[in-house]
Amino acid sequence: MGLSGHPVVPKSELYARICVRDPYFALSEVTMVGPGEVLARVPVEQDPGAEASPINAAEVGRHLAILGSCASSLVNPKEGQHYYLARRARLERLHDGPRSRLDEPLWGLARAEFIDKRCARAHTVLADPEGLPLFSLEVDFNVLSSAAFLRLFEGARLDMRREPRAERGPRGATPADFAALRQNPHRQPPPLKDLVRDGECMRATLGPVTAELCKGHFALHPVLPVAVVMSGLSGLAGTLLRQLLGNARARYLVTRGEVRADSLAYAGETVTFGAHRHGVEGSDHRFYCWASVGERLIGVMELTLTPLE
């Protein structure tokens, strides 16, 4: 039995249901607490960096979207494997901040329902170890059968066993650090490069995307997770904010974010990222962010960042 005496859903069952696995899937003790409702322990794998929260907002999106797909899979009226592709999400900060990173796992709660036969919606909340809410995330999924996914994403098929592992890590990293990254590339934000600022806009690139960066998402069809794309956009907006403030050490809170995913980037493709500050209201700075591969739009995000005084 798991949390609160309810049954734990085995990871192997969840991997089979949602077609996402470790290391991208990092939840533990995923427990059914009601129809379409699950509770889980949520790790903090990345340093929050400039964000004055216990966990950065992009990592919140990653873990809560996965938890939402788990909840959705448990109320899916159709048996068999399905892929849960996030298409829209809305994140809200619930804590006042600033808050420091916590060493203990956080709590995630998700409640899901199908809004039609191919779409599911999950309402999720992330809380600290004492139960204080930190963030909420509402996410809509396109739900594809395994056969439908394979038809749509045949172009992404790649035997990841043939891919060389990326050797990237922080300056001064030890062999143990590199080994950890090889096992879990999601412990670091995506390595954007070629950052260029033009007034209130900033651009950068990622890629070519390695299969290693897609690890766990999905087997034999490595595509860049939406949360990794949004991590790149959020980080780019934060870098732009610091430059506009003239303070390279400025810290800030992610107050809200709205995401729309239009398509997915495949391993081997190069993704262009952009961020534009389009307004300031009081202490809130509003950014419009986008990611694309050539002329193909991957996704957009409207982000509100609030610098600390």
Side-chain angles (χ1 to χ4, degrees):
M1 302 299 287
L3 306 172
S4 302
H6 293 279
V8 171
V9 184
K11 282 189 178 182
S12 58
E13 178 182 341
L14 293 170
Y15 293 163
R17 283 180 173 273
I18 67 173
C19 303
V20 170
R21 60 166 302 124
D22 62 316
Y24 190 63
F25 184 114
L27 306 172
S28 62
E29 296 185 54
V30 179
T31 305
M32 288 185 63
V33 294
E37 193 169 4
V38 293
L39 182 68
R41 293 189 184 275
V42 178
V44 179
E45 294 196 324
Q46 293 188 11
D47 189 303
E51 292 186 35
S53 290
I55 179 173
N56 72 57
E59 188 174 2
V60 173
R62 168 192 163 196
H63 295 310
L64 290 186
I66 292 173
L67 188 61
S69 68
C70 291
S72 300
S73 75
L74 295 171
V75 293
N76 191 336
K78 294 186 178 180
E79 295 294 328
Q81 289 189 332
H82 289 82
Y83 290 77
Y84 294 80
L85 306 183
R87 60 175 184 173
R88 288 184 182 274
R90 178 181 175 85
L91 178 136
E92 291 278 352
R93 174 171 54 85
L94 303 178
H95 71 93
D96 292 333
R99 295 281 304 271
S100 300
R101 179 175 177 172
L102 301 171
D103 294 329
E104 300 175 68
L106 308 176
W107 294 100
L109 177 69
R111 184 180 71 256
E113 61 183 344
F114 270 71
I115 53 180
D116 63 45
K117 62 181 181 180
R118 294 188 181 88
C119 297
R121 175 170 295 157
H123 303 270
T124 71
V125 175
L126 183 71
D128 71 9
E130 284 71 46
L132 179 68
L134 298 172
F135 291 92
S136 67
L137 183 79
E138 180 181 282
V139 57
D140 290 349
F141 299 99
N142 287 329
V143 183
L144 301 180
S145 67
S146 181
F149 178 88
L150 294 177
R151 286 196 303 270
L152 288 172
F153 291 95
E154 181 59 32
R157 183 174 177 83
L158 178 68
D159 187 345
M160 293 179 69
R161 292 170 299 181
R162 299 178 183 177
E163 286 294 294
R165 295 190 182 274
E167 295 288 343
R168 63 177 182 85
R171 182 175 298 177
T174 66
D177 293 327
F178 283 112
L181 283 173
R182 285 198 298 270
Q183 293 170 358
N184 185 0
H186 307 298
R187 292 186 181 276
Q188 296 285 336
L192 302 189
K193 59 185 181 181
D194 303 326
L195 276 69
V196 176
R197 179 183 162 198
D198 181 9
E200 298 208 339
C201 295
M202 181 172 281
R203 293 177 182 267
T205 59
L206 172 67
V209 173
T210 64
E212 181 75 7
L213 194 56
C214 309
K215 197 171 182 181
H217 187 275
F218 299 102
L220 298 181
H221 293 79
V223 293
L224 195 63
V226 171
V228 175
V229 175
M230 298 309 152
S231 175
L233 292 176
S234 180
L236 187 66
T239 299
L240 176 57
L241 174 66
R242 284 175 148 188
Q243 290 196 13
L244 291 169
L245 294 174
N247 182 359
R249 298 175 63 85
R251 301 185 72 214
Y252 56 86
L253 295 163
V254 175
T255 296
R256 69 185 59 87
E258 295 194 28
V259 172
R260 188 190 80 226
D262 289 26
S263 63
L264 294 169
Y266 298 177
E269 295 183 322
T270 295
V271 184
T272 298
F273 292 77
H276 170 229
R277 186 177 71 174
H278 66 82
V280 180
E281 184 174 343
S283 58
D284 291 342
H285 296 244
R286 299 191 304 275
F287 293 83
Y288 177 80
C289 310
W290 67 95
S292 62
V293 173
E295 298 297 318
R296 188 174 90 247
L297 186 64
I298 300 300
V300 298
M301 177 169 64
E302 293 191 37
L303 191 65
T304 301
L305 303 182
T306 307
L308 300 183
E309 296 294 333

